[in-house]
Amino acid sequence: MLGKYVSAGNKIELHPIRRDTGNEKTHISKINQVLEDDKLEILMPVEGAKIVLLARNIPYDLVIYTASGLYQCKVKVGERYKSGNVYLQQLELLTGIKKYQRREYYRHSCSVPVFSRQLTDEEKTNLVWDDTILGKEGESIDLGGGGVRFYVRQEYEPDDLILCVLKLELKDGIKEIQALGKVLNIKQVPDVKMYEVRVQFEKISNAAREQIIQYIFEDERKRRKKSSGL
């Protein structure tokens, strides 16, 4: 039974399945209600303050964030409609729902403060989280549960292990997220002494990862309200 695993308010990702390309954009939203054992009603995704019209002629991979973990299934797009000031979309399941494990997460374009510095030799063998983690201040380009891409004046090298602190503005206050990350790549920004750094989180608590995901969906909700004029 679908309602046994998911419920209203669960956050979701939708990834279109196409044969002609492997680089389709992921859309995020949340479940509005479970309609039947094989049908969901979701809020229509919003990107850049605009409603996204999901294609109806292709299937989608659906990933659902729940309190007990991630679930995945394939769906097709059904009826779309408006209720009051809310734009809604139905999804029909094409496969059964199953538990899902992965390393990749949706990346959300945003601008939040990011502080970073390299590990000391001592921290490489005995890392202790404390207030001394703060380093060079930068600004994020995008953020997800699996990593962050940001601008900073500090020049790192690929494979460097760095400590990161992200300051996220959630509805219940500012939260400082601490993570150990590995530099995947770095490039200099033209004409300024600034670098674009892409980092994959190597060590981050489940609570911190959930706060990142919470921030992403709260920020998307703000954009959705702005686009609807509320």
Side-chain angles (χ1 to χ4, degrees):
M1 179 179 293
L2 185 59
K4 178 180 178 181
Y5 302 101
V6 304
S7 60
N10 285 158
K11 303 156 187 176
I12 64 170
E13 295 180 12
L14 283 162
H15 186 83
I17 303 171
R18 296 182 186 270
R19 294 182 179 180
D20 56 346
T21 176
N23 192 32
E24 292 292 340
K25 185 172 179 59
T26 297
H27 309 295
I28 67 170
S29 188
K30 71 175 182 178
I31 295 173
N32 192 54
Q33 61 176 321
V34 178
L35 298 175
E36 300 173 15
D37 283 349
D38 62 350
K39 188 177 293 185
L40 295 169
E41 181 182 75
I42 68 167
L43 299 179
M44 292 178 66
V46 174
E47 293 172 9
K50 293 183 179 180
I51 298 290
V52 175
L53 299 180
L54 301 174
R56 302 188 68 171
N57 59 341
I58 59 169
Y60 285 79
D61 264 324
L62 173 67
V63 177
I64 307 170
Y65 291 79
T66 77
S68 58
L70 300 179
Y71 288 89
Q72 184 267 345
C73 63
K74 288 181 172 58
V75 298
K76 67 177 181 179
V77 175
E79 183 181 358
R80 69 171 70 101
Y81 42 86
K82 184 178 181 182
S83 177
N85 291 314
V86 180
Y87 292 87
L88 301 169
Q89 179 83 66
Q90 288 188 11
L91 300 177
E92 298 178 28
L93 273 63
L94 297 174
T95 63
I97 191 168
K98 62 182 180 181
K99 204 73 183 272
Y100 185 51
Q101 299 290 336
R102 67 173 185 186
R103 291 184 61 86
E104 294 299 321
Y105 290 82
Y106 168 81
R107 289 296 185 95
H108 174 66
S109 296
C110 60
S111 177
V112 300
V114 181
F115 298 84
S116 64
R117 67 168 174 82
Q118 285 185 276
L119 266 69
T120 64
D121 289 339
E122 181 180 354
E123 287 170 335
K124 291 178 181 179
T125 57
N126 184 31
L127 177 60
V128 177
W129 302 109
D130 58 34
D131 294 337
T132 66
I133 288 178
L134 290 179
K136 293 289 186 179
E137 183 174 4
E139 183 177 352
S140 72
I141 305 168
D142 58 46
L143 172 65
V148 62
R149 187 162 56 105
F150 62 98
Y151 292 128
V152 69
R153 294 190 181 278
Q154 175 68 39
E155 183 176 7
Y156 296 114
E157 297 291 336
D159 295 327
D160 277 351
L161 292 176
I162 64 174
L163 294 169
C164 299
V165 174
L166 295 86
K167 294 194 174 183
L168 306 181
E169 185 177 352
L170 301 177
K171 63 182 179 181
D172 56 347
I174 302 293
K175 303 295 183 182
E176 289 193 356
I177 306 300
Q178 298 181 340
L180 171 64
K182 181 173 74 172
V183 175
L184 298 182
N185 57 54
I186 181 170
K187 60 183 179 181
Q188 185 166 2
V189 180
D191 303 323
V192 295
K193 188 172 173 54
M194 183 77 72
Y195 301 91
E196 179 185 312
V197 184
R198 186 159 69 91
V199 171
Q200 175 179 292
F201 295 146
E202 294 289 303
K203 183 177 181 181
I204 183 172
S205 69
N206 289 334
R209 201 189 304 274
E210 283 299 316
Q211 286 181 319
I212 290 174
I213 295 169
Q214 179 185 348
Y215 166 79
I216 290 172
F217 280 88
E218 286 184 8
D219 196 50
E220 286 290 340
R221 188 180 300 116
K222 290 177 185 176
R223 298 182 188 188
R224 186 178 294 114
K225 287 182 177 180
K226 183 177 179 180
S227 69
S228 63
L230 296 178

